[in-house]
Coordinates of all heavy atoms in Angstrom, one line a residue:
Chain A
T46 N 7.0 18.0 0.9 CA 7.3 18.8 -0.3 C 8.6 19.5 -0.1 O 9.1 19.6 1.1 CB 6.2 19.9 -0.4 OG1 6.2 20.8 0.7 CG2 4.8 19.3 -0.6
V47 N 9.2 19.9 -1.2 CA 10.5 20.6 -1.0 C 10.4 21.9 -0.2 O 11.3 22.2 0.6 CB 11.1 21.0 -2.4 CG1 12.3 21.8 -2.3 CG2 11.4 19.7 -3.2
K48 N 9.2 22.5 -0.3 CA 8.9 23.7 0.6 C 9.0 23.3 2.0 O 9.6 24.0 2.8 CB 7.5 24.2 0.3 CG 7.1 25.4 1.1 CD 7.4 26.7 0.5 CE 7.5 27.9 1.4 NZ 6.5 28.1 2.3
Q49 N 8.5 22.2 2.4 CA 8.6 21.8 3.8 C 10.0 21.5 4.2 O 10.4 21.9 5.3 CB 7.8 20.5 4.0 CG 6.3 20.7 4.1 CD 5.6 19.4 4.3 OE1 5.5 18.6 3.4 NE2 5.1 19.1 5.5
I50 N 10.8 20.9 3.3 CA 12.2 20.6 3.6 C 12.9 21.9 3.8 O 13.7 22.1 4.7 CB 12.8 19.8 2.5 CG1 12.2 18.4 2.4 CG2 14.3 19.6 2.8 CD1 12.7 17.6 1.3
S51 N 12.6 22.9 3.0 CA 13.3 24.2 3.0 C 13.1 24.9 4.4 O 13.9 25.6 4.8 CB 12.9 25.1 1.9 OG 11.6 25.6 2.1
E52 N 11.9 24.6 5.0 CA 11.6 25.3 6.2 C 12.0 24.4 7.4 O 11.8 24.9 8.6 CB 10.1 25.5 6.3 CG 9.7 26.6 5.2 CD 8.2 26.8 5.2 OE1 7.4 25.9 5.7 OE2 7.8 27.9 4.8
M78 N 10.2 16.5 -10.6 CA 10.9 16.3 -11.9 C 12.4 16.4 -11.7 O 12.9 17.2 -10.9 CB 10.4 17.4 -12.8 CG 9.1 17.1 -13.5 SD 9.0 18.1 -14.9 CE 7.3 18.4 -15.1
F80 N 16.0 17.5 -13.0 CA 16.7 18.4 -13.9 C 18.2 18.4 -13.7 O 18.6 18.0 -12.6 CB 16.2 19.8 -13.7 CG 14.8 20.0 -14.2 CD1 13.7 20.2 -13.3 CD2 14.5 20.1 -15.5 CE1 12.4 20.4 -13.8 CE2 13.2 20.2 -16.0 CZ 12.2 20.4 -15.1
D95 N 9.7 19.8 -7.4 CA 8.3 19.3 -7.2 C 7.2 20.3 -7.3 O 6.1 20.1 -6.9 CB 8.3 18.5 -5.9 CG 8.2 19.5 -4.7 OD1 8.5 20.7 -4.9 OD2 7.9 19.0 -3.6
G96 N 7.6 21.5 -7.9 CA 6.5 22.5 -8.0 C 6.5 23.4 -6.8 O 6.0 24.5 -6.9
T97 N 7.0 23.0 -5.7 CA 7.0 23.8 -4.5 C 8.4 24.4 -4.3 O 8.6 25.3 -3.5 CB 6.6 23.1 -3.2 OG1 7.6 22.2 -2.8 CG2 5.3 22.3 -3.4
G98 N 9.4 23.8 -5.0 CA 10.8 24.3 -4.8 C 11.7 23.3 -5.6 O 11.3 22.3 -6.1
R99 N 13.0 23.7 -5.6 CA 14.0 22.8 -6.2 C 15.1 22.5 -5.2 O 15.5 23.4 -4.5 CB 14.6 23.6 -7.4 CG 13.7 24.0 -8.5 CD 14.2 25.0 -9.4 NE 15.3 24.5 -10.3 CZ 15.1 24.1 -11.5 NH1 13.9 24.3 -12.1 NH2 16.1 23.6 -12.3
M100 N 15.5 21.3 -5.2 CA 16.6 20.9 -4.2 C 17.5 20.0 -4.8 O 17.2 19.2 -5.7 CB 16.0 20.4 -2.9 CG 15.6 19.0 -2.9 SD 15.1 18.5 -1.3 CE 16.6 18.5 -0.4
K101 N 18.8 20.0 -4.3 CA 19.8 19.2 -4.8 C 19.7 17.8 -4.3 O 19.4 17.6 -3.1 CB 21.2 19.7 -4.3 CG 21.7 20.8 -5.1 CD 23.3 20.9 -5.0 CE 23.9 22.0 -5.7 NZ 23.7 23.3 -5.1
G121 N 13.7 15.9 -16.9 CA 12.3 16.2 -17.3 C 11.3 15.1 -16.9 O 10.1 15.2 -17.0
Y123 N 9.3 12.6 -14.3 CA 8.8 12.6 -13.0 C 9.3 11.4 -12.2 O 9.2 10.3 -12.8 CB 7.2 12.5 -13.0 CG 6.5 13.8 -12.8 CD1 5.9 14.5 -13.9 CD2 6.4 14.4 -11.5 CE1 5.3 15.7 -13.7 CE2 5.8 15.6 -11.3 CZ 5.2 16.2 -12.4 OH 4.5 17.4 -12.2
K137 N 20.8 22.3 2.3 CA 20.1 21.0 2.6 C 20.2 20.2 1.3 O 20.0 20.7 0.2 CB 18.6 21.3 2.9 CG 18.5 22.0 4.2 CD 17.0 22.1 4.6 CE 16.8 22.8 5.9 NZ 16.4 24.2 5.7
F150 N 0.4 8.6 -13.2 CA 0.6 9.9 -12.6 C -0.4 10.2 -11.5 O -0.3 11.3 -10.9 CB 0.5 10.9 -13.8 CG 1.7 10.8 -14.6 CD1 1.8 10.0 -15.8 CD2 2.9 11.5 -14.3 CE1 2.9 9.9 -16.5 CE2 4.0 11.4 -15.0 CZ 4.1 10.6 -16.1
D151 N -1.3 9.3 -11.2 CA -2.1 9.5 -10.0 C -1.2 9.5 -8.8 O -1.5 10.0 -7.7 CB -3.1 8.4 -9.8 CG -4.3 8.5 -10.8 OD1 -4.6 9.7 -11.1 OD2 -4.8 7.5 -11.3
V153 N 1.4 11.2 -8.5 CA 1.8 12.6 -8.2 C 0.7 13.2 -7.3 O 1.0 13.8 -6.2 CB 1.9 13.4 -9.5 CG1 2.2 14.9 -9.1 CG2 3.0 12.9 -10.3
T154 N -0.5 13.0 -7.7 CA -1.6 13.5 -6.8 C -1.6 12.9 -5.5 O -1.7 13.6 -4.4 CB -3.0 13.2 -7.5 OG1 -3.0 13.5 -8.9 CG2 -4.1 13.9 -6.8
F157 N 1.0 14.4 -2.9 CA 0.7 15.6 -2.3 C -0.4 15.4 -1.2 O -0.4 16.1 -0.2 CB 0.3 16.7 -3.3 CG 1.5 17.2 -4.1 CD1 1.6 16.8 -5.4 CD2 2.5 17.9 -3.5 CE1 2.7 17.2 -6.2 CE2 3.6 18.3 -4.2 CZ 3.7 17.9 -5.6
I158 N -1.3 14.5 -1.5 CA -2.3 14.2 -0.5 C -1.7 13.6 0.7 O -2.0 13.9 1.9 CB -3.4 13.2 -1.1 CG1 -4.1 13.9 -2.2 CG2 -4.4 12.8 0.0 CD1 -5.1 13.0 -3.0
C160 N 1.4 14.1 1.7 CA 2.1 15.2 2.5 C 1.1 15.9 3.4 O 1.4 16.1 4.6 CB 2.7 16.2 1.5 SG 4.0 15.6 0.5
I161 N -0.1 16.2 2.9 CA -1.1 16.9 3.7 C -1.5 16.0 4.8 O -1.6 16.4 6.0 CB -2.3 17.3 2.8 CG1 -1.9 18.3 1.8 CG2 -3.4 17.8 3.7 CD1 -3.0 18.6 0.8
H164 N 1.2 15.8 7.4 CA 1.2 17.1 8.1 C 0.2 17.1 9.2 O 0.4 17.5 10.4 CB 1.1 18.2 7.1 CG 0.9 19.5 7.7 ND1 2.0 20.3 8.1 CD2 -0.2 20.3 8.0 CE1 1.5 21.5 8.6 NE2 0.2 21.5 8.6
L165 N -1.0 16.8 8.9 CA -2.1 16.8 9.8 C -1.9 15.8 10.9 O -2.2 16.1 12.1 CB -3.5 16.5 9.1 CG -4.1 17.6 8.4 CD1 -5.3 17.1 7.6 CD2 -4.5 18.7 9.3
S203 N -9.0 3.1 -9.1 CA -8.1 4.1 -8.5 C -7.2 3.4 -7.5 O -7.7 2.9 -6.5 CB -8.9 5.2 -7.9 OG -8.1 6.0 -7.0
L205 N -5.3 4.9 -5.6 CA -5.1 5.8 -4.5 C -6.1 5.4 -3.3 O -5.9 5.8 -2.2 CB -5.4 7.2 -4.9 CG -4.5 7.8 -6.0 CD1 -5.0 9.2 -6.3 CD2 -3.1 7.8 -5.5
I211 N -9.5 12.2 1.2 CA -9.6 13.5 1.8 C -11.0 13.6 2.5 O -11.2 14.3 3.5 CB -9.5 14.6 0.8 CG1 -8.1 14.6 0.2 CG2 -9.7 16.0 1.4 CD1 -7.9 15.6 -0.9
D212 N -12.0 13.0 1.9 CA -13.3 13.1 2.4 C -13.4 12.6 3.8 O -14.2 13.0 4.6 CB -14.3 12.2 1.6 CG -14.5 12.8 0.2 OD1 -14.0 13.9 0.0 OD2 -15.1 12.1 -0.6
Q227 N -20.5 26.9 -1.6 CA -19.6 27.4 -2.6 C -20.3 28.4 -3.5 O -21.4 28.3 -3.8 CB -19.1 26.3 -3.6 CG -18.0 25.4 -3.0 CD -17.7 24.3 -4.0 OE1 -17.9 24.4 -5.2 NE2 -17.1 23.3 -3.5
S229 N -20.3 29.0 -6.5 CA -20.9 28.5 -7.7 C -22.3 27.8 -7.4 O -23.2 27.9 -8.2 CB -20.0 27.4 -8.4 OG -19.5 26.5 -7.5
R244 N -22.6 12.6 -6.9 CA -21.6 12.4 -7.9 C -20.3 13.1 -7.5 O -19.2 12.6 -7.5 CB -22.1 12.9 -9.2 CG -21.7 12.1 -10.4 CD -22.2 12.6 -11.7 NE -22.4 14.0 -11.8 CZ -23.6 14.6 -12.0 NH1 -24.7 13.8 -12.1 NH2 -23.7 15.9 -12.1
Q245 N -20.4 14.4 -7.1 CA -19.3 15.2 -6.8 C -18.6 14.8 -5.6 O -17.3 14.8 -5.5 CB -19.7 16.7 -6.7 CG -20.2 17.3 -8.0 CD -19.1 17.5 -9.0 OE1 -17.9 17.4 -8.6 NE2 -19.4 17.7 -10.3
K247 N -18.9 11.9 -4.1 CA -18.6 10.4 -4.1 C -19.2 9.7 -2.9 O -18.6 8.9 -2.3 CB -17.1 10.1 -4.2 CG -16.5 10.6 -5.6 CD -15.2 9.8 -5.8 CE -14.8 10.0 -7.2 NZ -13.4 10.1 -7.4
Chain Z
M1 N 18.8 24.7 -2.7 CA 17.4 24.8 -2.2 C 16.8 26.1 -2.7 O 17.3 27.2 -2.3 CB 17.4 24.7 -0.7 CG 16.1 24.9 -0.1 SD 15.1 23.4 0.0 CE 16.3 22.1 0.4
D2 N 15.8 26.0 -3.5 CA 15.3 27.3 -4.1 C 13.8 27.2 -4.1 O 13.2 26.4 -4.9 CB 15.9 27.4 -5.5 CG 15.2 28.6 -6.2 OD1 14.6 29.4 -5.6 OD2 15.4 28.6 -7.5
T3 N 13.1 28.0 -3.3 CA 11.7 27.9 -3.3 C 11.1 29.2 -3.8 O 10.0 29.6 -3.5 CB 11.1 27.7 -1.9 OG1 11.7 28.6 -1.0 CG2 11.4 26.3 -1.4
S5 N 10.4 30.1 -6.9 CA 9.5 30.1 -8.1 C 8.6 28.8 -8.1 O 8.8 28.0 -8.9 CB 10.3 30.2 -9.3 OG 9.8 29.7 -10.4
P6 N 7.7 28.8 -7.2 CA 6.8 27.6 -7.1 C 5.8 27.7 -8.2 O 5.5 28.8 -8.7 CB 6.2 27.7 -5.7 CG 6.2 29.1 -5.4 CD 7.4 29.7 -6.1
S7 N 5.2 26.5 -8.6 CA 4.1 26.6 -9.5 C 2.8 26.2 -8.7 O 2.8 25.2 -8.1 CB 4.3 25.7 -10.7 OG 4.8 24.4 -10.3
V8 N 1.8 27.1 -8.8 CA 0.6 26.9 -8.0 C -0.3 25.9 -8.6 O -0.6 26.0 -9.8 CB -0.2 28.3 -7.9 CG1 -1.3 28.2 -6.9 CG2 0.8 29.4 -7.5
F9 N -0.8 25.0 -7.9 CA -1.8 24.0 -8.4 C -3.1 24.8 -8.7 O -3.6 25.4 -7.8 CB -2.1 23.0 -7.3 CG -1.2 21.8 -7.2 CD1 -0.1 21.9 -6.4 CD2 -1.4 20.7 -8.0 CE1 0.7 20.8 -6.3 CE2 -0.6 19.6 -7.9 CZ 0.5 19.7 -7.1
E13 N -11.2 27.5 -11.9 CA -11.7 28.5 -10.9 C -10.5 29.2 -10.2 O -10.6 30.4 -9.9 CB -12.5 27.8 -9.9 CG -13.3 28.7 -9.0 CD -14.3 28.0 -8.1 OE1 -14.9 27.0 -8.6 OE2 -14.4 28.4 -7.0
K22 N 3.3 31.8 -12.1 CA 3.6 30.4 -12.6 C 2.6 29.5 -12.0 O 2.4 29.4 -10.7 CB 5.0 30.0 -12.2 CG 5.4 28.8 -12.8 CD 7.0 28.7 -12.9 CE 7.5 27.3 -12.7 NZ 8.8 27.3 -12.2
R24 N 0.4 25.4 -12.4 CA 0.4 24.1 -13.0 C -1.0 23.6 -13.0 O -1.7 23.8 -12.0 CB 1.3 23.1 -12.2 CG 1.0 22.9 -10.8 CD 1.4 21.6 -10.3 NE 2.8 21.6 -10.1 CZ 3.5 20.5 -9.6 NH1 2.8 19.4 -9.3 NH2 4.8 20.5 -9.5
E44 N -13.9 20.7 -14.7 CA -14.8 20.6 -15.8 C -15.1 21.9 -16.6 O -16.1 22.1 -17.1 CB -16.2 20.1 -15.3 CG -16.1 18.9 -14.4 CD -15.8 17.6 -15.1 OE1 -16.5 17.4 -16.2 OE2 -15.0 16.8 -14.7
E62 N -0.2 17.6 -18.1 CA 0.0 18.5 -17.0 C 0.8 19.6 -17.6 O 1.9 19.4 -18.3 CB 0.8 17.9 -15.8 CG 0.9 18.9 -14.7 CD 2.0 18.6 -13.7 OE1 3.1 18.3 -14.1 OE2 1.7 18.7 -12.5
I64 N 2.8 23.3 -17.0 CA 3.4 24.2 -16.1 C 3.8 25.4 -16.9 O 4.5 25.3 -17.9 CB 4.6 23.6 -15.3 CG1 4.2 22.3 -14.7 CG2 5.1 24.6 -14.3 CD1 5.3 21.6 -14.0
T77 N 6.6 24.0 -19.5 CA 6.9 22.6 -19.4 C 5.6 21.8 -19.4 O 4.6 22.3 -18.9 CB 7.6 22.3 -18.0 OG1 8.4 23.3 -17.6 CG2 8.3 21.0 -18.1
W78 N 5.6 20.6 -20.0 CA 4.4 19.8 -20.0 C 4.8 18.4 -19.9 O 5.9 17.9 -20.3 CB 3.6 20.1 -21.3 CG 4.3 19.8 -22.5 CD1 4.5 18.6 -23.2 CD2 5.1 20.7 -23.3 NE1 5.3 18.7 -24.3 CE2 5.7 20.0 -24.4 CE3 5.4 22.1 -23.1 CZ2 6.5 20.6 -25.3 CZ3 6.2 22.7 -24.1 CH2 6.7 22.0 -25.1
T79 N 3.9 17.6 -19.3 CA 4.1 16.2 -19.2 C 2.8 15.5 -19.5 O 1.7 15.9 -19.1 CB 4.4 15.8 -17.7 OG1 5.4 16.7 -17.2 CG2 4.9 14.4 -17.6
N80 N 3.0 14.5 -20.4 CA 1.8 13.7 -20.7 C 1.5 12.7 -19.6 O 2.3 11.9 -19.2 CB 2.1 12.9 -22.0 CG 0.9 12.2 -22.6 OD1 0.0 11.9 -21.8 ND2 0.8 12.1 -23.9
F81 N 0.3 12.9 -19.0 CA -0.1 12.1 -17.9 C -0.9 10.8 -18.3 O -1.4 10.2 -17.5 CB -1.0 12.9 -16.9 CG -0.2 13.6 -15.8 CD1 1.2 13.8 -16.0 CD2 -0.8 14.1 -14.7 CE1 1.9 14.4 -15.0 CE2 -0.1 14.7 -13.7 CZ 1.3 14.9 -13.8
G82 N -0.9 10.6 -19.6 CA -1.5 9.4 -20.1 C -3.0 9.5 -20.4 O -3.5 10.7 -20.5
T84 N -5.5 7.9 -18.6 CA -6.4 7.8 -17.5 C -5.8 8.6 -16.3 O -4.6 8.6 -16.1 CB -6.5 6.3 -17.0 OG1 -5.2 5.8 -16.8 CG2 -7.3 5.5 -18.0
F85 N -6.6 9.3 -15.7 CA -6.1 10.2 -14.6 C -7.3 10.5 -13.7 O -8.4 10.7 -14.1 CB -5.5 11.4 -15.2 CG -4.8 12.3 -14.1 CD1 -3.7 11.9 -13.5 CD2 -5.4 13.5 -13.8 CE1 -3.0 12.7 -12.5 CE2 -4.8 14.3 -12.8 CZ -3.6 13.9 -12.2
D86 N -7.0 10.5 -12.4 CA -8.1 10.8 -11.4 C -8.2 12.3 -11.3 O -7.5 12.9 -10.5 CB -7.8 10.1 -10.1 CG -8.9 10.3 -9.1 OD1 -9.8 11.2 -9.3 OD2 -8.9 9.6 -8.1
Q88 N -10.7 14.1 -10.2 CA -11.4 14.5 -8.9 C -10.4 14.7 -7.8 O -10.4 15.8 -7.1 CB -12.3 13.4 -8.5 CG -13.6 13.3 -9.1 CD -14.7 14.1 -8.3 OE1 -14.4 14.5 -7.2 NE2 -15.8 14.4 -8.9
S89 N -9.5 13.8 -7.6 CA -8.5 13.9 -6.6 C -7.5 15.1 -6.8 O -7.2 15.9 -5.9 CB -7.6 12.6 -6.5 OG -8.4 11.5 -6.2
Y90 N -7.1 15.2 -8.1 CA -6.2 16.3 -8.4 C -6.9 17.7 -8.1 O -6.3 18.6 -7.6 CB -5.8 16.3 -9.9 CG -4.7 17.2 -10.3 CD1 -3.4 16.9 -10.2 CD2 -5.0 18.5 -10.7 CE1 -2.4 17.8 -10.6 CE2 -4.0 19.4 -11.1 CZ -2.7 19.0 -11.0 OH -1.7 19.9 -11.3
Q92 N -9.2 18.2 -5.9 CA -9.2 18.5 -4.5 C -7.8 18.9 -4.0 O -7.7 19.8 -3.1 CB -9.7 17.2 -3.8 CG -11.1 16.9 -4.0 CD -11.8 16.1 -3.0 OE1 -11.5 15.0 -2.8 NE2 -12.7 16.7 -2.2
V93 N -6.8 18.4 -4.6 CA -5.4 18.8 -4.2 C -5.3 20.3 -4.5 O -4.8 21.1 -3.7 CB -4.3 18.0 -4.9 CG1 -2.9 18.6 -4.6 CG2 -4.3 16.6 -4.4
Q95 N -7.6 22.5 -4.5 CA -8.3 23.3 -3.5 C -7.6 23.4 -2.2 O -7.4 24.4 -1.6 CB -9.7 22.8 -3.4 CG -10.6 23.1 -4.6 CD -11.9 22.2 -4.6 OE1 -12.0 21.3 -3.8 NE2 -12.8 22.6 -5.5
L96 N -7.0 22.2 -1.8 CA -6.3 22.2 -0.5 C -5.0 22.9 -0.6 O -4.7 23.6 0.4 CB -6.1 20.7 -0.1 CG -7.3 19.8 0.2 CD1 -6.9 18.4 0.2 CD2 -7.9 20.3 1.5
A97 N -4.3 22.8 -1.7 CA -3.0 23.5 -1.8 C -3.2 25.0 -1.8 O -2.2 25.7 -1.6 CB -2.3 23.0 -3.1
E100 N -6.4 25.5 2.9 CA -5.9 25.2 4.2 C -4.4 24.9 4.3 O -3.8 25.2 5.3 CB -6.7 24.0 4.7 CG -6.9 24.0 6.2 CD -7.8 22.8 6.6 OE1 -8.7 22.4 5.8 OE2 -7.5 22.2 7.7
F101 N -3.9 24.3 3.2 CA -2.5 23.8 3.3 C -1.6 24.5 2.5 O -0.5 24.0 2.1 CB -2.5 22.3 3.0 CG -3.4 21.5 3.9 CD1 -4.7 21.1 3.6 CD2 -3.0 21.2 5.2 CE1 -5.5 20.5 4.4 CE2 -3.8 20.6 6.1 CZ -5.1 20.2 5.7
K102 N -1.9 25.8 2.2 CA -1.0 26.6 1.4 C 0.4 26.6 1.8 O 1.3 26.6 1.0 CB -1.6 28.0 1.4 CG -1.3 28.8 0.2 CD -2.3 30.1 0.2 CE -1.9 31.1 -0.8 NZ -2.8 32.2 -0.8
G103 N 0.6 26.6 3.1 CA 2.0 26.7 3.7 C 2.9 25.5 3.3 O 4.1 25.6 3.3
L104 N 2.3 24.4 2.9 CA 3.1 23.3 2.5 C 3.6 23.4 1.1 O 4.5 22.7 0.6 CB 2.3 21.9 2.6 CG 1.7 21.5 3.9 CD1 1.1 20.2 3.8 CD2 2.8 21.5 5.0
F105 N 2.9 24.3 0.3 CA 3.2 24.4 -1.1 C 3.8 25.7 -1.6 O 4.7 25.7 -2.4 CB 1.9 24.2 -1.9 CG 1.3 22.9 -1.7 CD1 0.5 22.5 -0.7 CD2 1.6 21.9 -2.7 CE1 0.0 21.3 -0.5 CE2 1.1 20.6 -2.5 CZ 0.3 20.3 -1.5
L106 N 3.3 26.8 -1.0 CA 3.8 28.1 -1.5 C 4.6 28.9 -0.5 O 4.3 28.8 0.7 CB 2.6 28.9 -2.0 CG 1.7 28.3 -3.1 CD1 0.5 29.1 -3.3 CD2 2.5 28.2 -4.4

Side-chain angles (χ1 to χ4, degrees):
Chain A
T46 62
V47 172
K48 175 92 200 311
Q49 283 179 286
I50 297 175
S51 74
E52 294 177 337
M78 280 201 210
F80 288 112
D95 73 345
T97 71
R99 300 164 71 100
M100 78 175 295
K101 280 205 182 73
Y123 257 106
K137 294 187 182 100
F150 291 92
D151 286 326
V153 176
T154 312
F157 290 109
I158 297 173
C160 293
I161 293 173
H164 171 84
L165 279 172
S203 168
L205 300 177
I211 296 177
D212 291 351
Q227 277 178 23
S229 46
R244 220 176 31 242
Q245 293 289 345
K247 291 201 168 143
Chain Z
M1 176 86 36
D2 172 19
T3 54
S5 150
S7 43
V8 187
F9 273 93
E13 193 174 318
K22 188 158 148 204
R24 59 152 74 176
E44 316 279 316
E62 185 195 48
I64 303 179
T77 322
W78 58 88
T79 309
N80 191 327
F81 269 17
T84 53
F85 186 69
D86 185 344
Q88 277 267 349
S89 300
Y90 189 91
Q92 291 204 291
V93 172
Q95 288 166 350
L96 293 167
E100 210 179 327
F101 301 99
K102 209 162 167 178
L104 301 183
F105 296 83
L106 299 174

